[in-house]
Amino acid sequence: MSDDIKKIMFTVRNAPHGTIYVYEGLEVKLIMAAYDADISVVFMDDGVYALKQGQNTDELGIKGFEKTYGVFVDYEIENVFVDKQSMEDRGMTADDLLVIGEDEDTEAPIKPKVVDASEIAAMMAEQHNIMSF
Amino acid sequence: MLHTVNKSPFQNSTLESCQRFINKGDVLLLIEDGVYGAVAGSVKSAIVEGAIKSGTEVYALSSDLKARAITNLIDGVQITDYAGFVDFVEKHKTHSWL
Amino acid sequence: MKLAVCIYEGPYNHEASDSAYHFIKAAIDKGHEIRGIFFYHDGVYNVTKLMEPPQDDRHIANRWSELGATGIDIVVCIAAAKRRGIVDDVLVDNVRISGLGQLTMMAIEADRMVTFGD
């Protein structure tokens, strides 16, 4: 049965707020999480900016999404990865990353996993389909 | 894997960045403004030259090349059409580097 | 092979819609099944019958409608459409508005998914 569950990867490569791609892409992830699919999300290039903690869009008058990312784990979106080099190229470190949920037992915050391009490339090759969001 | 790139390397770093995620045996297909990456003798030619050198098969879409009057391609860049594009998709999983 | 195609950009403004169309035509010519076409982001503007391009230009919405008439499932995302004022009344024939669940099913059921966008 579990062999039938398809691996679907999302790649997030756009910065947040300047365009709607990241926001509408998030809507797709939340819907798809309700289906029988093995989902992973990879943030790379300017997409890593979407994971920066402390975003406040109040003055822009647009709905932000840091809070929604904060419940990824509750939606069973647990395989969330960040490309290490994209992050470092932009002067960000793992400390800058927002929280995507908390550990059920210890309540410790869970953050996206920082991985190398080679690990991402290997994961990409295993997917049933990859969606650019 | 098939990787499609549709941005000019002069516009943003997509072409450069996607190289880091290309495995051996993958195909890189340049479409739309991405075909500017296949032009020989530009300051960005080194990106595609490097990809070819490291064993990536690089293709450019003929209709996009013709529309942009591009004839001077980097050595080793191959030309394909939409039928070829479909064949690549049939053979490989695809990631569109949008 | 079953293929699904996503289109994220509006017509005329961006080449994505044309690229997707040429790709789909070539795939059909080769005997592939198009599992579905999904319009998202500004892509939802591709299938409004309100567009009226000059006579000597391609009519993008009609082109999608003709593909839909061959039985291909063409879906416009309801959330993206409503946000942009695209509703059933303005759609060309042979295209439907539905939810992101449709995109999910395409991603799961299609052997390959190809995305055209910015």
Side-chain angles (χ1 to χ4, degrees):
Chain A
M1 184 68 180
S2 65
D3 288 348
D4 290 341
I5 294 188
K6 305 286 194 209
K7 288 169 101 77
I8 310 276
M9 177 186 277
F10 294 95
T11 54
V12 184
R13 299 188 51 253
N14 285 296
H17 316 309
T19 59
I20 199 170
Y21 300 116
V22 177
Y23 184 85
E24 284 190 325
L26 176 56
E27 293 182 346
V28 179
K29 292 166 193 92
L30 297 179
I31 297 287
M32 207 171 281
Y35 287 75
D36 257 350
D38 178 1
I39 291 178
S40 55
V41 187
V42 181
F43 292 81
M44 50 174 90
D45 297 318
D46 276 355
V48 300
Y49 287 133
L51 288 180
K52 197 153 188 236
Q53 65 178 348
Q55 297 173 41
N56 182 338
T57 55
D58 290 351
E59 289 184 26
L60 288 184
I62 63 174
K63 226 161 115 184
F65 42 70
E66 184 168 350
K67 275 192 191 131
T68 315
Y69 278 152
V71 294
F72 257 1
V73 173
D74 293 341
Y75 276 85
E76 293 181 18
I77 304 174
E78 285 153 344
N79 297 316
V80 182
F81 304 96
V82 197
D83 171 45
K84 187 164 183 273
Q85 188 174 325
S86 299
M87 200 175 74
E88 289 175 356
D89 284 352
R90 287 160 180 78
M92 281 170 65
T93 68
D95 291 340
D96 295 315
L97 299 176
L98 51 75
V99 168
I100 57 166
E102 56 182 35
D103 188 279
E104 247 177 70
D105 303 321
T106 65
E107 291 182 10
I110 300 172
K111 288 200 169 195
K113 294 180 204 72
V114 180
V115 289
D116 285 328
S118 60
E119 293 171 76
I120 295 171
M123 283 191 277
M124 282 177 136
E126 293 173 354
Q127 301 302 312
H128 174 64
N129 276 312
I130 305 176
M131 312 186 72
S132 321
F133 273 117
Chain B
M1 289 275 307
L2 168 69
H3 304 263
T4 66
V5 169
N6 72 338
K7 294 295 183 315
S8 159
F10 295 92
Q11 184 193 350
N12 69 26
S13 59
T14 296
L15 178 61
E16 208 170 352
S17 168
C18 89
Q19 308 297 323
R20 297 193 290 116
F21 301 90
I22 292 182
N23 286 313
K24 271 216 174 90
D26 286 1
V27 174
L28 170 62
L29 173 62
L30 305 172
I31 66 169
E32 300 173 4
D33 286 346
V35 296
Y36 288 116
V39 175
S42 87
V43 299
K44 298 290 185 185
S45 298
I47 305 170
V48 161
E49 286 165 358
I52 292 170
K53 211 179 261 179
S54 62
T56 305
E57 280 187 61
V58 182
Y59 287 82
L61 197 62
S62 57
S63 49
D64 283 319
L65 290 171
K66 283 180 200 159
R68 291 163 179 79
I70 298 171
T71 50
N72 53 329
L73 294 184
I74 292 164
D75 277 348
V77 171
Q78 303 173 72
I79 297 175
T80 191
D81 55 13
Y82 275 101
F85 187 173
V86 172
D87 288 342
F88 289 136
V89 169
E90 185 179 3
K91 220 175 288 172
H92 305 274
K93 297 292 181 184
T94 302
H95 183 236
S96 312
W97 289 83
L98 301 181
Chain C
M1 186 170 265
K2 281 188 202 173
L3 308 179
V5 173
C6 293
I7 297 147
Y8 291 173
E9 294 299 320
Y12 305 104
N13 191 63
H14 196 286
E15 198 181 340
S17 170
D18 293 292
S19 300
Y21 180 77
H22 295 309
F23 176 83
I24 290 163
K25 292 291 273 188
I28 293 168
D29 285 347
K30 283 187 166 280
H32 293 295
E33 179 193 337
I34 306 300
R35 166 61 184 79
I37 301 172
F38 196 87
F39 289 104
Y40 200 54
H41 299 309
D42 276 2
V44 299
Y45 291 124
N46 271 276
V47 284
T48 152
K49 63 184 175 195
L50 299 178
M51 71 173 67
E52 215 177 310
Q55 289 285 333
D56 60 352
D57 198 355
R58 67 222 188 278
H59 195 299
I60 288 184
N62 287 352
R63 220 162 56 169
W64 291 120
S65 180
E66 284 155 21
L67 270 185
T70 68
I72 296 172
D73 190 20
I74 304 185
V75 181
V76 182
C77 170
I78 189 164
K82 281 179 111 173
R83 188 173 269 141
R84 293 166 176 83
I86 302 295
V87 294
D88 273 323
D89 289 350
V90 302
L91 288 188
V92 288
D93 291 340
N94 314 315
V95 167
R96 65 190 179 106
I97 291 191
S98 190
L100 285 166
Q102 297 299 315
L103 174 61
T104 305
M105 293 317 293
M106 286 183 200
I108 291 172
E109 291 177 12
D111 301 304
R112 298 284 189 275
M113 179 162 253
V114 185
T115 306
F116 295 90
D118 184 47

